[in-house]
Amino acid sequence: MAERSFAREVEHLKLGDGDVFRGEGILAITKALLQSGISYVGGYQGSPISHLMDVLADANDILDDLGVNFQSSANEATAGAMLSASVMYPLRGAVAWKSTVGTNVASDALANLASGGVKGGAMVIVGEDYGEGSSIMQERTHAFAMKSQMWLLDPRPDQECMVNLIEKGFELSEATNTPVMLQVRVRSCHMTGQFVCKDNKRPEFTLQDALNSPKRDLDRIVLPPAAYTHEVEKIEHRLPAAIDFVKQAGLNEHFGPTGADKTGKTGLIVQGGMYNSTIRALQFLGLSDAYGETKLPIYVMNVCYPTITSEIEAFCEGLDAVLVVEEGQPEFIEQSITTTVARLKKQTLVHGKKYLPMAGDYTVTALTKGIGQFLEDYEAQLLGNRAPTPDPVPILRDPKVAALTEVVPPRPPGLCTGCPERPIFAAMKLAFEELGEHHVSADIGCHLFSILPPFNIGATTMGYGLGAASSAAFNVKGAKRSISIMGDGGFWHNGLTSGIGHAVFNNHDGVFLIVDNYYSSATGGQDILSSRALNKRRVTNNSIVDAVRGVGAKWVRQIDRTYDVNRMRDVLKEALTTEAEGPKIIVASSECMLNKQRRVKPQVAKAMKDGKRTIKERFGVDEDVCTGDHACIRLSGCPSLSVKQLDDPLRDDPVASIDSTCVACGNCGEVADAAVLCPSFYRAEVIHNPGPRDRFKAGLSTPVIRFLQNRRARRAVDFGDIAG
């Protein structure tokens, strides 16, 4: 990132053998990569692995000392293709991205990688962003792992376990000539904990060694006839090798009573990532303590694929029924366990989705209810003397807690205070007032929040950087033109070729709006090709306008201050009505306000502390002028804009009000002007450490202002007396 430092986090990566790491899970994963002797690492940012990318971007000195090449990839396909370095050479490498959306983008590279196989250890770290906190469609990585025969690790949310799975994962990849996927959930990434470190390790075989001694092995290249043998190799050699390695390394875990101590009738088979929530649910049922001392036998599948038949057989020995705790659908693990038990001709009954939800988060509440019902049917005595259907979480019976559901309003996602994208959509609404509604294809990114109130703009979103491509079918002559929107991050990720290049090639007579806020803002403010900040390690300041002209676009307009709502509206109207054919491209540029505030606030604070003259702008609403129409709020939606009830009995409607979170972007005033609304907005300058000239001007103006205020107050009193 250009405006934020991760220097403190980077220090944790320097810990050596015997030192104790304390911190977040995602940083522990980063440290584990360096302890594993990787030669290269890359990826594309996105929750919940953005922190890994951000820290690596600031760890240049450490990576250089270790000989590790870090690449901030253009997209997930670029990252996936990096792993080709491990195909011919004994190089360990890792890439990371956000869940299924990233895997989908990288699928071509991964499928080829998995087919030919690898010589060095290759790992894909997937941020499995599933559940109610997710910002994407609800799918899982498991299907891709099975489809391409890549081993899928799902570590128990414990930092020692996660670090061990990283290190063993590379060994598994090398032992089986197969790339490995390791998935971590949001809770795992942000969970704090500790583990005992090892020294960071320089790769035994370096990238320079590979370049100096190039190798070729036709059997690893996905071309006939080798491609036909890859599938046979997967089944006859790689899969058995993986099963043997997982068993010998003890990657899956057992908790609770085992062997002769396993006297009960039931057990749990748990996805590694679900372990902590499962233990919490067992606590509520009185079957475990907080440290995992459980009365039920639990088999934890830190390796979700492949299934280890002999371990399933041993675990099910003597059990009447097992419950598979597998979040999401389809129930891949449950099906695998059921098939395994059937082939073994075991009498153990396998359940999962019968008692647990088919879709959605496996919260502690859902797990407590499902496990409780399962035990009622098969081993009710474990539940003790309690009601037939146990209350999932007893604390919810507290009336004060229950009352919160009625008074806490929902909080839909929205654009930040001062976001430079608000005026773009305000201008679009104003253009629609004159020209009518238009079909709008949206894209992944901050601007996607425009589909919500107050803008209500956007009909579809098909993937990151596919906003422009989403309107391809509408390249027909009609009374109105289609509009496509994408951000600068999406533009460089995918949109330049699949969107703008496609539109130029097909002479698409639509409007393409590229929102340029200088960063990949939605993922945390990372630098991209067109970032205007200077980056010592990368080349920035590459013009989007030059890029679209470079692929043949002719009608191109750039607005370098999106807060100019009048100009934004006029350019949009021109694009929608011009007789020019082909794509009409508008590049709307203003810096992301969050990143701007990260840079500006420390500078202003330091200037004030040093006694320098500093001006802070504030915007406000004149209560006497505001009519209470609230059109400004409907066209802006800024969180700093609210309403205020006046004490005046003659004014029923609350007036608009600007609170202290205002960052003085001026959007509300610009919207008021462009929409020909009331002139109630004003801009004020607060001068800190004023100079002699400032004090002289204040000495002249203050008495005049005080006189006018007093006169207005007297008139208000006189008017009240007359009205009485």
Side-chain angles (χ1 to χ4, degrees):
M1 283 176 57
E3 312 302 349
R4 187 176 176 186
S5 172
F6 289 88
R8 187 177 67 177
E9 287 87 343
V10 167
E11 290 300 311
H12 292 298
L13 302 181
K14 299 178 181 178
L15 295 174
D17 189 42
D19 292 335
V20 178
F21 169 94
R22 294 179 177 87
E24 283 192 313
I26 192 64
L27 193 60
I29 291 172
T30 313
K31 178 69 170 84
L33 292 175
L34 301 184
Q35 293 180 177
S36 300
I38 59 171
S39 296
Y40 62 93
V41 59
Y44 194 85
Q45 60 273 357
S47 175
I49 59 89
S50 288
H51 203 46
L52 182 151
M53 303 298 297
D54 295 335
V55 170
L56 286 172
D58 277 359
N60 302 317
D61 294 341
I62 298 174
L63 299 181
D64 289 345
D65 289 343
L66 293 173
V68 178
N69 178 20
F70 168 65
Q71 294 284 303
S72 182
S73 307
N75 56 36
E76 295 87 353
T78 306
M82 276 188 76
L83 293 173
S84 67
S86 297
V87 171
M88 297 295 173
Y89 308 100
L91 294 166
R92 285 188 173 183
V95 295
W97 52 66
K98 175 188 178 78
S99 63
T100 51
V101 289
T103 303
N104 291 341
V105 174
S107 59
D108 200 4
L110 292 182
N112 280 279
L113 185 76
S115 181
V118 294
K119 186 173 184 179
M123 180 174 291
V124 180
I125 300 173
V126 179
E128 191 76 344
D129 191 10
Y130 178 87
E132 65 181 12
S134 172
S135 60
I136 60 164
M137 73 285 189
Q138 296 298 275
E139 292 185 2
R140 297 164 58 198
T141 305
H142 201 113
F144 192 96
M146 292 194 300
K147 182 271 295 182
S148 289
Q149 289 267 270
M150 297 174 65
W151 319 136
L152 179 63
L153 310 183
D154 187 4
R156 178 170 54 88
D158 170 87
Q159 290 196 359
E160 286 190 4
C161 180
M162 292 162 65
V163 170
N164 180 59
L165 261 289
I166 293 276
E167 296 173 349
K168 292 298 182 183
F170 283 111
E171 295 178 22
L172 172 61
S173 177
E174 292 162 343
T176 62
N177 302 118
T178 303
V180 168
M181 305 183 87
L182 181 137
Q183 62 180 27
V184 284
R185 295 168 176 76
V186 174
R187 292 183 181 92
S188 299
C189 289
H190 298 304
M191 167 199 68
T192 57
Q194 66 182 47
F195 70 94
V196 179
C197 298
K198 299 177 184 176
D199 289 333
N200 293 334
K201 186 187 299 183
R202 290 183 60 85
E204 296 177 4
F205 187 87
T206 67
L207 292 164
Q208 288 80 3
D209 292 334
L211 288 172
N212 294 336
S213 302
K215 305 290 184 183
R216 290 178 68 247
D217 182 355
L218 290 178
D219 291 339
R220 290 272 176 251
I221 301 175
V222 188
L223 280 174
Y228 305 137
T229 66
H230 290 163
E231 183 180 19
V232 176
E233 181 187 347
K234 286 180 180 180
I235 301 304
E236 294 185 355
H237 300 288
R238 299 188 205 170
L239 180 59
I243 292 172
D244 288 343
F245 184 93
V246 173
K247 288 165 55 179
Q248 293 172 12
L251 299 187
N252 295 321
E253 300 174 290
H254 293 82
F255 295 93
T258 58
D261 296 329
K262 192 170 64 175
T263 58
K265 300 178 180 179
T266 57
L268 303 179
I269 297 178
V270 180
Q271 244 179 315
M274 292 287 97
Y275 173 80
N276 287 9
S277 296
T278 301
I279 289 297
R280 185 63 169 162
L282 291 175
Q283 268 190 276
F284 283 124
L285 294 170
L287 298 175
S288 176
D289 62 16
Y291 303 99
E293 291 295 329
T294 171
K295 298 177 183 178
L296 275 181
I298 302 177
Y299 173 60
V300 179
M301 294 181 67
N302 292 317
V303 181
C304 285
Y305 182 75
T307 301
I308 312 301
T309 300
S310 60
E311 293 184 354
I312 298 298
E313 181 179 19
F315 180 76
C316 291
E317 187 67 36
L319 298 180
D320 291 345
V322 294
L323 180 68
V324 179
V325 180
E326 173 188 12
E327 187 175 59
Q329 50 79 37
E331 62 274 46
F332 299 118
I333 297 176
E334 183 183 346
Q335 291 177 18
S336 176
I337 302 297
T338 302
T339 301
T340 299
V341 170
R343 287 175 178 172
L344 292 169
K345 297 183 179 180
K346 288 282 185 181
Q347 299 302 311
T348 307
L349 297 176
V350 179
H351 295 295
K353 300 303 182 184
K354 176 181 177 181
Y355 294 98
L356 294 166
M358 177 63 87
D361 271 341
Y362 274 12
T363 62
V364 173
T365 301
L367 287 171
T368 307
K369 181 178 180 181
I371 296 172
Q373 291 174 344
F374 168 71
L375 292 175
E376 283 177 15
D377 289 347
Y378 288 99
E379 205 165 4
Q381 68 273 17
L382 287 178
L383 297 174
N385 184 21
R386 54 193 295 142
T389 304
D391 189 321
V393 184
I395 194 172
L396 292 183
R397 289 200 298 260
D398 189 323
K400 294 180 180 178
V401 176
L404 290 177
T405 60
E406 300 176 5
V407 299
V408 177
R411 193 188 68 163
L415 298 167
C416 301
T417 299
C419 176
E421 300 183 15
R422 290 184 183 280
I424 297 173
F425 300 113
M428 193 175 293
K429 290 198 69 160
L430 292 171
F432 289 173
E433 285 291 321
E434 297 182 44
L435 304 176
E437 294 288 333
H438 287 62
H439 174 83
V440 178
S441 297
D443 200 349
I444 302 297
C446 297
H447 45 277
L448 185 57
F449 297 144
S450 65
I451 66 172
L452 300 172
F455 303 115
N456 302 306
I457 291 173
T460 58
T461 175
M462 299 306 295
Y464 197 29
L466 294 177
S470 299
S471 62
F474 295 100
N475 185 18
V476 295
K477 293 292 183 181
K480 297 179 181 178
R481 290 182 169 123
S482 65
I483 301 175
S484 305
I485 303 172
M486 63 180 163
D488 44 0
F491 173 81
W492 294 115
H493 177 277
N494 199 2
L496 175 59
T497 52
S498 65
I500 303 303
H502 174 90
V504 171
F505 183 69
N506 289 283
N507 199 33
H508 186 164
D509 191 36
V511 177
F512 300 86
L513 175 61
I514 302 170
V515 180
D516 170 25
N517 52 28
Y518 305 2
Y519 308 92
S520 183
S521 297
T523 59
Q526 294 82 7
D527 277 339
I528 52 178
L529 273 164
S530 52
S531 294
R532 303 194 185 186
L534 295 177
N535 190 308
K536 296 179 181 179
R537 304 280 294 196
R538 296 176 179 82
V539 179
T540 52
N541 281 280
N542 297 284
S543 169
I544 292 177
V545 170
D546 290 348
V548 298
R549 290 191 188 280
V551 296
K554 299 295 190 294
W555 197 103
V556 183
R557 304 287 186 271
Q558 178 161 22
I559 299 174
D560 222 23
R561 182 177 174 273
T562 62
Y563 298 103
D564 190 342
V565 179
N566 281 301
R567 185 164 181 238
M568 276 296 319
R569 177 197 58 199
D570 293 344
V571 171
L572 279 165
K573 287 169 57 179
E574 180 189 0
L576 292 170
T577 58
T578 181
E579 294 182 0
E581 296 184 352
K584 269 65 69 177
I585 300 170
I586 303 171
V587 182
S589 306
S590 275
E591 185 178 11
C592 166
M593 186 56 71
L594 281 180
N595 278 278
K596 181 177 180 179
Q597 291 301 314
R598 287 187 184 125
R599 185 184 72 255
V600 171
K601 280 187 174 181
Q603 294 173 350
V604 172
K606 186 177 185 303
M608 291 170 58
K609 184 178 180 181
D610 294 343
K612 297 179 181 178
R613 181 179 182 272
T614 307
I615 298 177
K616 280 189 172 183
E617 289 186 338
R618 290 296 303 274
F619 281 75
V621 175
D622 190 328
E623 297 174 0
D624 292 334
V625 178
C626 179
T627 63
D629 175 68
H630 305 151
C632 54
I633 296 176
R634 294 194 297 274
L635 278 172
S636 170
C638 182
S640 67
L641 262 179
S642 58
V643 292
K644 178 181 179 181
Q645 191 70 47
L646 299 179
D647 294 331
D648 190 341
L650 299 180
R651 300 185 64 178
D652 296 331
D653 295 329
V655 297
S657 178
I658 299 177
D659 64 27
S660 60
T661 63
C662 173
V663 293
C665 70
N667 179 41
C668 47
E670 294 272 359
V671 166
D673 175 62
V676 196
L677 302 174
C678 66
S680 58
F681 292 93
Y682 64 84
R683 179 176 64 88
E685 293 182 348
V686 181
I687 302 175
H688 297 267
N689 303 317
R693 185 177 179 183
D694 298 316
R695 297 181 188 279
F696 176 74
K697 289 173 63 178
L700 293 177
S701 61
T702 300
V704 176
I705 294 172
R706 186 177 295 117
F707 168 76
L708 294 174
Q709 288 175 333
N710 291 336
R711 187 176 68 172
R712 185 177 64 177
R714 287 195 299 271
R715 287 181 175 178
V717 172
D718 293 341
F719 178 78
D721 292 340
I722 295 172

